[in-house]
């Protein structure tokens, strides 16, 4: 149920002023909360170890690699592809931790405020805090290209090799 505005033009102005004051207060609180969350994320780091235990990486608040350590001597017997996969796996695990922490810090700021629900929550640039999302790993990109090439070669052979 909406509150009836006070009669006359002064009543509307007073009601509007009260709503604006609440909105300013809410905005100031949201800005303080955002600054605190940003500062907290600035101190974030996550150390993760690959599943095979050969590599430990540390990533920063934006998912950037800040440290890489080889654990033991297992990495010496690994192929470059295996070692690369272990590093990528550990980095992605660290980036996932950074994304979860950013969501924990900033998600409450993404909702409308309690005093002035008409005002949307803060527009959060998630990539600013955790970097771009990891590309989806799909082995289908190269095979699809090969399939298209194979189809074209096969079409040429069916057409007698002329086009």
């Amino acid at each position: 149920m909406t509150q009836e505005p006070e009669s006359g033009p002064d009543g509307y102005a007073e009601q509007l002023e009260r709503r604006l004051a609440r909105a300013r207060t809410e905005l100031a609180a949201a800005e303080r909360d955002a600054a605190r969350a940003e500062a907290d994320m600035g101190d974030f780091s996550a150390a993760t170890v690959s599943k095979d235990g050969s590599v430990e990486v540390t990533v920063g608040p934006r998912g950037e690699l800040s440290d890489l350590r080889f654990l033991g001597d297992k990495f010496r017997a690994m192929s470059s592809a295996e070692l690369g996969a272990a590093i990528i796996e550990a980095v992605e695990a660290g980036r996932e931790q950074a994304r979860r922490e950013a969501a924990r810090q900033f998600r409450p700021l993404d909702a409308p405020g309690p005093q002035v629900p008409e005002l949307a929550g803060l527009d959060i640039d998630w990539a600013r805090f955790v970097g771009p999302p990891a590309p989806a790993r799909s082995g289908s990109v190269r095979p699809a290209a090969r399939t298209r090439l194979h189809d074209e070669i096969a079409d040429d052979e069916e057409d007698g090799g002329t086009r």
Side-chain angles (χ1 to χ4, degrees):
M1 192 174 232
T2 60
Q3 183 181 11
E4 286 293 320
E6 298 173 17
S7 63
D10 292 337
Y12 286 113
E14 289 172 8
Q15 185 179 12
L16 183 58
E17 280 300 319
R18 283 192 302 273
R19 287 184 59 79
L20 284 173
R22 286 194 305 263
R24 284 187 197 110
T25 301
E26 197 167 293
L27 179 60
E31 287 173 338
R32 283 191 306 274
D33 291 345
R36 177 200 39 79
E38 189 169 355
D40 289 349
M41 277 306 295
D43 295 334
F44 176 84
S45 71
T48 56
V49 177
S50 61
K51 289 178 185 172
D52 66 6
S54 63
V55 176
E56 178 185 65
V57 301
T58 303
V59 297
R62 289 167 184 79
E64 72 278 8
L65 181 63
S66 61
D67 192 26
L68 169 65
R69 290 185 26 205
F70 298 106
L71 305 175
D73 287 331
K74 182 175 184 173
F75 73 95
R76 294 182 191 277
M78 298 171 78
S79 71
S80 59
E82 291 171 325
L83 184 55
I87 292 169
I88 289 170
E89 170 197 311
V91 169
E92 285 305 314
R95 286 180 175 166
E96 180 56 33
Q97 285 185 18
R99 283 189 283 276
R100 281 194 308 268
E101 180 62 16
R104 188 184 73 75
Q105 293 282 343
F106 288 97
R107 188 63 66 204
L109 303 175
D110 200 13
Q115 295 295 319
V116 187
E118 297 86 359
L119 294 177
L122 297 178
D123 186 18
I124 298 169
D125 179 7
W126 293 103
R128 177 177 171 206
F129 298 102
V130 296
R137 290 191 201 171
S138 172
S140 64
V141 173
R142 285 195 184 265
R146 286 188 188 132
T147 301
R148 279 193 306 272
L149 179 60
H150 182 271
D151 289 346
E152 288 186 27
I153 292 170
D155 286 346
D156 283 350
E157 290 172 354
E158 291 172 6
D159 293 342
T162 60
R163 280 215 173 216

